[in-house]
Every structure is written in C-alpha cells, then in structure tokens.
Amino acid sequence: MKLSDLGEDAVVSRLTRSLRLDGRVVVRPGDDCAVVETTGRLQLLKTDCVIEGIHFLSDADPKLIGWKAMCRPISDIAAMGGTPLDALVTLAVKPEIEFAWLKRVYSGLESAAAAYGVNLVGGETAKSPGPFFLSVAMTGSVARGKYVGRSGGRRGDWLYVTGKLGGSMNGRHLRFRPRLAEARWLVGQFPVHAMMDLSDGLASDLPRLAAASGLGFEIEASSLPLHSGMTVENALRDGEDYELLFAVPSAVRTRLEAEWRSKFPKLRLTAIGRLVEQDRTEFSLQGYDHFRR
Amino acid sequence: MKLSDLGEDAVVSRLTRSLRLDGRVVVRPGDDCAVVETTGRLQLLKTDCVIEGIHFLSDADPKLIGWKAMCRPISDIAAMGGTPLDALVTLAVKPEIEFAWLKRVYSGLESAAAAYGVNLVGGETAKSPGPFFLSVAMTGSVARGKYVGRSGGRRGDWLYVTGKLGGSMNGRHLRFRPRLAEARWLVGQFPVHAMMDLSDGLASDLPRLAAASGLGFEIEASSLPLHSGMTVENALRDGEDYELLFAVPSAVRTRLEAEWRSKFPKLRLTAIGRLVEQDRTEFSLQGYDHFRR
C-alpha cells in the first residue's frame, strides 16, 4: 500500500503505535510535542522541517526560510503551554549553493531564535543531491502537570482560535509569529483543557484534537475568523495559519474574552464552536493531508 | 563564494561563530554534541541525518537505513561520555513509496533504539519531491563535569582508536554498532581528556580533535588498525568507521590496555600516536569533506 493511499495520520499512527517507550515518557508520539520526565520539570521535544518546493519556493527570501523553520517547532511547544529552550538545525544543501545564501538562512534562524529566547546549540550540515532541506529539533520545558495536550478536551468545552485564518500561502506563512506569549498567558490564567497549533488547516487539525479527546465537534461556519478576501473553504483547508486552537470550559468564556481584549488588543480571539459527543459532529470536514493526492 | 569552495568546517564555523547563546549552554556548536544545563545534570543534544544517494544507495535494505540513522547520534552521545535518552525522527519521503518499505525503515530505527535504550518519542513526516531524507535528533544525559569533549586533550596524551578502520562503505556503515558501552566504561575508569567518534575518517577527524585542544599530533601510519584488505589510505579517508578516537595521559597506558583486553576481548584497542605542540604535527592528512569536490 502506498503512503498516498493511507494518508498522513494513518502512516504516522501505524509507524508509531507499537513503539516501546520507558516510564519517563509522559506523552507519546501524536501530540504537538513529546513530553518526557527530566529532573524536576517536564521536557518537551519537537522536530519539524521545511523542504524546497513543498514549504517554500526556490525563489523565497532565504532569511524567511530560516525564520519559518525555527518558528514551526516554537509554535508546537507554545501549543503545549511550554517554553522553548534549545534548537538543533539539520540542513541538506547542494554544494553549488552560495555561502551568502546559506548565511541568510542562518540569519533568519537566529532572528527567530533571538525573538523567542531559543538557543541554537548545534546541528548537522550535509550535502544534498536534491531540494534544500532544513529541519529544526527543539527542546522546551513545562512545569510538571502543566502541559496542555490535545486529549484533555471535555464535552461542552468551547473551541477558540486566535487570529484569522486562510490564505497563508500567499506569503504570510514565511513570516508567521508563533503565539508563544498568548499560549503561556492562556495556560497561566485559564483552565485550558486542550490546545494545538493550526498547521494543516482547521479541517485537518480540529478533527485530530476532537479525536484525541474522544469527542466530536460542532462548528459554526459563519463564525470562522477570515483573513481579508478569504472564504470559509480557505480557512478550513489552506493550512499554515499557526494560530492556536484550544478548548476551555463554558464557564470561563466571559472572563476569557474580556481579559483577552485587554491583554492582546491587536489579536482577535474567536469562539468557533464546541466539543460534543463523538457521534454528534456537525460539519463534514476534510483538509490538507501530506500524502493524499 | 560557494560551499564547495569553503569546505564543511569553514561553512559550519562561519555560520555558528556569532550565535548568541545564554548561560545554560556549556558546549557550543562544534563538538560531537551540544551540552546544556538542565536541573541537576547536563543535557546532550545532537542531530544527524542520512540522505539517499549520499549515505546509502536506493537499493539499500530499509531496515539498515533506519538502524544507521538512529545509531549515528547515539555514537555522538557515546563519544561525549553520555547516555542517550530520547529521539525524534524527521523523514521526508515521496508519496509513491510503499508503506511496507517505510515500516521497515521504522523497524530499523526501533531495533537500534531498543538496543541502546533510547525512546523514540516523536517526529515529523513530510512529503519530499527528492531523495529520501531521514534525520534523527537525540537528547542524552551526563553527570555535571563528566562530559568529554574534543578540547580537553593535553600535550603528550596518547591517542587511541577502538576497532579497525577503512572500507566501511562496502556495507559495514549500515550495520555499525555505536561504542556506547565502551565509551561509558572508558570515561568511568580512566581520565579521558578528549574523545570523538570517527565519522568522516581519521584524516578529517583527528585534526579537528587536535585543533579543538590547541595541539598538533604525531601519527605512526604503520600502527593504524586496518580492516582486512584495507590500506592506510582507506583508514585515513574512507570515513564512517564510527569508532572512538580518544586521548589519555601516558601514565594510564599499561592499565588501560590490560583492563580493556579483559573487559572487551573481542574489540581491538590501538595506540596510534600522541598529541604534541601545535606546530609539531607529523603526518600531512587531508580527509573527506562534505563540500569539497
């Protein structure tokens, strides 16, 4: 069976479900990050990559390629309620590439690392016979018992998204800003039951959060916060928004919305629907999948 | 200037020398692993990759590709005197690939992880328009003050290598066994001043260790432990041996060699020369470089 027949979620699930992991592993593969016991606190671990021709075009600004590559795992660690710490960079590049171009990529990596307090502590450089490949692995930290995975959603929780959705591939995907401060504030102030970042589009990501929580969802299409000129379809399927999707109990809605407006006046926060029982999902969604044609 | 004009060491050095790193970072980019403070112990961080057409051929056994990819960072963490803990896998693969093939790759990753006590805690799967790319990022741990970098060599130290060198690309590179138990035993029993694993060939790696220690080296070519049918040239340049190269004070030589024979009777240990003053290097060596033609 080809990967394109199975689809990304099935590929990952089939590859990882039999892994033998020791007692230090708190969250297995399948969430935004792995969570592992260290002395005192929990460690978050995440890797992500950008590939020429898939995540950016050959003529993209190399500094923005670096920025995006560093920001992707930062966004995942933010979505767990954690603080990013240290990054390792793996890059595969044609030997004919100009050093100045690669230096610009690194400059983008460093800018993002500096903006979010991350140490770029090492990596690996290899020659590639194919497209430029850039992977960033990152560690992060979260207080014991304080991480927010995808599986903690409860029936009746309200679903919120930060910012606006759709059309990221028009250029915004290379300049996005991980919602680190927002996620840390949310987790510090409110009982956030489940959270993730929107990388593959709401239509792919929301079903993952709901399924991880053993629930379904109801979404009001007209409530989705759209970027200018975008349709509901764009918001559902375009992906690469890197906004937060999270679930909170109904009781905190009024306080959350009021305090958010005062804390982050420039960033929209939108209630888009609720978590419901598994067989009650309303809104048939099918989103972006790395392997499906 | 093209990467192929600069060469790998210069590329990495120029990219990383200006990195701003906070006080938690104990060892900067340039050694086998990064070393970072965590609560109580030091954390080791390493990423490495294998690429189709560079590190293996398209018809290689997928299980061995996975084995090799997992064993490379284990070897680096071993070479710091550390214990590997958790791994993240990033893979980029054509959608037309058979799932059964990828499952075999994962089976190799898991075998190696199980053999060396590593948790495979997560990763990222992306589609690639080019060659198969597999990167493994790994964390490890070492007691405070107990890591062994490349820079601690002292003048007069003897240089040892484990095992035999040369000809790894004939197939052994896909089945190599990281010298984890050996490295841990060495660091526990002897004052190992500097250590690294031999991945690019002695002719590339030894000058790196000597330079990091601010020293030169004397090598006796006839003393190099050769795999059957291999020449000194093979031992110097072939690379991918993944044996340990380390420096110990002259005073421990007799005890080291006697205790090694009793502890690891099946694995050769060879004194190949000494660290000397920087301008006294004897043996002009030039080895494999990822970017040079």
Side-chain angles (χ1 to χ4, degrees):
Chain A
M1 194 180 306
K2 297 198 187 312
L3 301 186
S4 50
D5 300 324
L6 277 171
E8 182 184 6
D9 288 352
V11 168
V12 172
S13 158
R14 288 187 186 205
L15 289 178
T16 60
R17 66 189 171 197
S18 66
L19 289 173
R20 287 159 298 181
L21 302 173
D22 72 23
R24 293 174 44 256
V25 180
V26 181
V27 174
R28 294 173 59 95
D31 217 304
D32 289 304
C33 300
V35 181
V36 178
E37 292 264 0
T38 57
T39 324
R41 285 171 73 86
L42 294 177
Q43 180 172 56
L44 304 173
L45 293 167
K46 174 65 188 179
T47 181
D48 215 328
C49 65
V50 296
I51 305 174
E52 182 182 344
I54 303 288
H55 302 92
F56 60 90
L57 301 175
S58 309
D59 61 356
D61 179 347
K63 185 162 181 184
L64 296 182
I65 296 169
W67 174 275
K68 177 175 181 174
M70 182 63 69
C71 284
R72 285 183 60 153
I74 292 173
S75 181
D76 284 301
I77 285 174
M80 295 295 278
T83 303
L85 291 174
D86 304 307
L88 295 168
V89 170
T90 306
L91 54 87
V93 60
K94 291 197 179 76
E96 307 85 63
I97 284 285
E98 288 291 329
F99 178 75
W101 187 89
L102 194 59
K103 183 71 188 162
R104 293 264 299 160
V105 173
Y106 240 78
S107 156
L109 289 163
E110 288 181 57
S111 297
Y116 293 96
V118 171
N119 292 303
L120 204 177
V121 293
E124 175 71 8
T125 308
K127 72 180 168 197
S128 165
F132 181 61
F133 181 99
L134 176 53
S135 171
V136 178
M138 197 170 287
T139 64
S141 173
V142 68
R144 200 171 296 282
K146 292 294 188 188
Y147 71 88
V148 182
R150 299 177 181 182
S151 63
R154 299 183 201 164
R155 189 160 54 87
D157 280 353
W158 275 83
L159 294 165
Y160 281 85
V161 294
T162 60
K164 291 183 278 189
L165 307 179
S168 178
M169 296 312 281
N170 298 341
R172 209 165 42 246
H173 71 106
L174 287 170
R175 305 167 182 276
F176 84 90
R177 305 192 71 84
R179 303 304 187 192
L180 180 61
E182 294 83 355
R184 290 182 56 73
W185 179 83
L186 280 170
V187 169
Q189 303 295 320
F190 296 93
V192 180
H193 288 161
M195 184 157 63
M196 70 187 295
D197 70 329
L198 291 170
S199 56
D200 289 343
L202 194 63
S204 289
D205 290 330
L206 173 53
R208 289 171 179 155
L209 183 143
S213 297
L215 294 169
F217 54 88
E218 285 175 1
I219 292 295
E220 181 55 48
S222 63
S223 72
L224 295 180
L226 307 178
H227 271 290
S228 175
M230 293 297 130
T231 64
V232 167
E233 184 73 9
N234 292 121
L236 293 175
R237 296 187 196 283
D238 286 356
E240 306 250 0
D241 293 308
Y242 303 104
E243 296 292 349
L244 297 170
L245 167 68
F246 61 93
V248 287
S250 174
V252 305
R253 285 194 64 190
T254 309
R255 182 167 74 88
L256 168 63
E257 293 181 13
E259 293 189 16
W260 179 277
R261 270 193 300 272
S262 130
K263 179 79 181 171
F264 302 107
K266 292 180 179 166
L267 187 67
R268 195 159 156 180
L269 180 70
T270 309
I272 61 166
R274 293 189 305 157
L275 290 173
V276 298
E277 284 178 61
Q278 200 145 25
D279 53 357
R280 301 286 296 279
T281 291
E282 289 185 23
F283 211 128
S284 174
L285 301 174
Q286 184 167 3
Y288 183 79
D289 185 299
H290 274 297
F291 291 121
R292 291 212 191 268
R293 283 179 264 237
Chain B
M1 193 179 307
K2 298 199 187 310
L3 302 187
S4 49
D5 299 325
L6 277 171
E8 182 184 6
D9 287 352
V11 168
V12 172
S13 158
R14 288 187 184 205
L15 289 177
T16 60
R17 65 190 171 198
S18 66
L19 290 173
R20 287 159 298 182
L21 301 173
D22 71 24
R24 294 174 43 257
V25 179
V26 181
V27 174
R28 293 174 59 94
D31 217 306
D32 290 304
C33 300
V35 182
V36 178
E37 292 264 358
T38 57
T39 325
R41 285 170 73 86
L42 295 176
Q43 181 172 56
L44 304 173
L45 293 167
K46 174 65 189 177
T47 180
D48 215 327
C49 65
V50 296
I51 305 175
E52 181 181 343
I54 303 289
H55 301 92
F56 60 90
L57 300 175
S58 308
D59 61 355
D61 179 346
K63 185 163 182 184
L64 296 182
I65 297 169
W67 174 275
K68 177 176 181 175
M70 182 62 70
C71 284
R72 286 183 59 154
I74 292 173
S75 181
D76 284 301
I77 284 174
M80 295 293 279
T83 304
L85 291 174
D86 303 308
L88 295 168
V89 170
T90 305
L91 54 88
V93 60
K94 292 196 179 75
E96 308 84 64
I97 285 285
E98 288 290 330
F99 178 74
W101 186 89
L102 194 59
K103 182 73 187 161
R104 292 264 299 161
V105 173
Y106 240 77
S107 156
L109 288 164
E110 287 181 58
S111 296
Y116 293 96
V118 171
N119 292 304
L120 204 177
V121 293
E124 175 70 8
T125 308
K127 71 180 168 198
S128 166
F132 181 61
F133 181 98
L134 176 53
S135 171
V136 178
M138 197 171 288
T139 64
S141 173
V142 68
R144 199 170 297 281
K146 292 294 188 188
Y147 70 87
V148 181
R150 299 176 181 183
S151 63
R154 300 184 202 163
R155 189 161 54 87
D157 280 354
W158 276 82
L159 294 164
Y160 282 85
V161 294
T162 60
K164 291 182 277 188
L165 307 179
S168 179
M169 296 312 281
N170 298 340
R172 209 166 42 246
H173 70 107
L174 287 171
R175 304 167 182 275
F176 84 90
R177 305 193 71 85
R179 302 305 187 192
L180 180 61
E182 294 83 355
R184 290 183 55 72
W185 179 83
L186 282 169
V187 169
Q189 304 294 320
F190 296 93
V192 181
H193 289 161
M195 185 158 62
M196 69 187 296
D197 70 329
L198 291 170
S199 56
D200 289 344
L202 194 63
S204 289
D205 289 331
L206 174 53
R208 290 171 178 155
L209 184 143
S213 298
L215 294 169
F217 54 88
E218 285 175 1
I219 292 296
E220 181 55 48
S222 63
S223 73
L224 295 179
L226 307 178
H227 271 290
S228 175
M230 293 297 129
T231 64
V232 168
E233 185 74 10
N234 292 122
L236 293 175
R237 296 188 197 283
D238 287 355
E240 307 249 1
D241 292 309
Y242 303 103
E243 296 292 350
L244 297 170
L245 166 68
F246 62 92
V248 288
S250 173
V252 307
R253 284 194 65 191
T254 310
R255 182 168 72 89
L256 168 63
E257 293 181 13
E259 293 189 15
W260 179 276
R261 269 192 300 272
S262 131
K263 179 78 180 172
F264 303 107
K266 291 180 179 166
L267 187 67
R268 195 158 156 179
L269 180 69
T270 309
I272 61 166
R274 292 189 306 158
L275 290 173
V276 298
E277 284 177 60
Q278 200 146 24
D279 54 356
R280 302 286 296 279
T281 291
E282 290 184 24
F283 210 128
S284 175
L285 301 174
Q286 185 167 2
Y288 182 79
D289 185 298
H290 274 295
F291 293 120
R292 292 213 191 268
R293 283 179 264 238

